[in-house]
Amino acid sequence: MLKLFKISTKYILLIFFTFYILIFPEASQLRASELDQKVQQEIYKTNKIFELYYSKNFEECMKYCYSIITQDIDNTTAYIFYLASSFQLDKLQETINNIDSTYISFVQRYNATNKDQVIETSKDYHYLTALVGFSNIFLYFSTNNGGAYLDEAINTFRKSLFFPVTLACIYSGLGIAYYEKKLNERAISMLNRAFNVKSYDPIALEYFGKIQNSLGNYNQTISKLKNYIDIKYPDMIYQLAYAYEKVNEIDKAVETYDLAYKYDPNLLGQGFISLVRMGDIFLYKKNDKQKAISCYEEILKILPDSLVAKSKIEEAQNYDPNKKQESNEKKKKKRK
C-alpha cells in the first residue's frame, strides 16, 4: 500500500510540474537565464581586464583587478593580471610583500577577535590565500631557481581545497603548478575540476590547450576552446589557432591567429608569435610572399628592433617556391 502511495504521489507531482511548465514556460527558463546573465557579466568584467592590460593601462588594470578580487573571490583572471600588471610596473616584489603582510596581519587579527569562528568561513581569508598561492607562481616564473616557490604554491592551493566553498581559481592555480612540474595528468584533472565550477575560466582554458597541444591532441583543444573566442585573451586564442594549424585547417588558423593579434595589439603576449605563424602560413602554405612580409612588417611597427621579424622578412624575400618544388622532386627520384 505504501509503495502504491509513493508511485501515485510521484505521478501526481509529475503531472503537476508538467502542467505548471506548460502554463508558465518562462519559469522553467528563469534559472538558466539568470545563470547566462551572470556568466555574461563575469565575461564582460574579465574582458575589461584584458582590454586594460593589453592596451598597457597597467595601473588601472591593477586597481580594477583588485576591486574584482575583493568582490568576486573566484575570478582567476583577476588574480593573474593583478600580479602581471605589477610585474609590468616593476612592482612585483613590492606587491607580493604587501600581500604577505596583509595575509599575516589578517590571520592574527581574526584569530584574536573571532575566537569562536572558523577562519575558513571568511571571504577575506579566501581571496588573500588565493593571492598568496598565485604570488608563489609568479615568484616561480620571475626567478631563476623557483622550484621551491612552485611547491609552496601547490601547498597553499591544496590547503585551500578544504574551504567550505568550491573555487575554480584554486583548481586553475593547481593546474598551472602541476603543468609547470610536467605532471600533465594531474594538471588536466585539476583543470577539469575548474571547468566543473566555471567552464569559461580563460586561464584554465589556456592551460588545457597548452597541455593537449603538447600531447598532440589538437582536436580536443579545438573542441574545448572554439566556443570561447569572444573572451579576449590572446594567449588562449593562440592555443586554438595553433591546434587549427596542426590539423591543417589553414584558413581557420589564419583567422584565429589574426584574432589573437587583434586582442594583443602591443604584442605583450602571444600576439607576437601569432603574427609570425600567420606570416609563415602565407609564405609556405599559400605561397603569398607579400602577405607574409606584411605580417612580419606589422611586428616591426610595434617592435622596431625585432631580429625575428627582420630575419623573417629577409627569408621571405629570398624564398622561391619553385626551388622548393624542384628540391622535393629530386628527393622523390632518390627514393626511387
Side-chain angles (χ1 to χ4, degrees), residues 162-279:
F162 296 101
F163 284 168
V165 291
T166 303
L167 301 176
C169 66
I170 300 301
Y171 290 121
S172 295
L174 279 168
I176 295 169
Y178 285 134
Y179 170 80
E180 293 300 328
K181 288 182 77 72
K182 297 180 171 50
L183 299 171
N184 285 339
E185 289 186 8
R186 284 190 182 183
I188 285 290
S189 175
M190 292 299 107
L191 294 173
N192 283 331
R193 292 187 186 189
F195 295 137
N196 287 337
V197 182
K198 286 187 177 181
S199 60
Y200 51 92
D201 184 329
I203 308 301
L205 288 165
E206 175 201 1
Y207 274 84
F208 180 88
K210 274 186 178 183
I211 294 169
Q212 297 299 352
N213 285 345
S214 71
L215 296 173
N217 300 328
Y218 307 115
N219 284 318
Q220 288 196 40
T221 297
I222 293 167
S223 177
K224 194 77 173 175
L225 271 59
K226 69 180 180 181
N227 297 318
Y228 299 100
I229 59 172
D230 290 335
I231 296 176
K232 299 179 179 182
Y233 185 27
D235 293 11
M236 177 194 76
I237 299 298
Y238 168 80
Q239 296 300 330
L240 176 61
Y242 182 76
Y244 278 134
E245 182 184 352
K246 297 304 281 187
V247 298
N248 213 33
E249 292 194 44
I250 299 304
D251 289 337
K252 282 187 178 179
V254 169
E255 181 184 337
T256 313
Y257 280 134
D258 189 47
L259 186 62
Y261 161 58
K262 284 176 180 173
Y263 288 161
D264 182 19
N266 291 298
L267 308 185
L268 297 174
Q270 295 291 359
F272 174 87
I273 192 66
S274 293
L275 279 174
V276 171
R277 298 197 77 88
M278 193 159 50

Side-chain angles (χ1 to χ4, degrees), residues 101-114 119:
S101 176
T102 304
Y103 173 81
I104 292 167
S105 62
F106 172 81
V107 171
Q108 290 173 341
R109 188 172 63 253
Y110 193 95
N111 289 338
T113 57
N114 299 274
I119 196 169

Side-chain angles (χ1 to χ4, degrees), residues 13-24:
L13 288 171
L14 182 61
I15 291 167
F16 172 77
F17 282 118
T18 303
F19 177 76
Y20 183 78
I21 289 169
L22 287 172
I23 300 299
F24 304 107

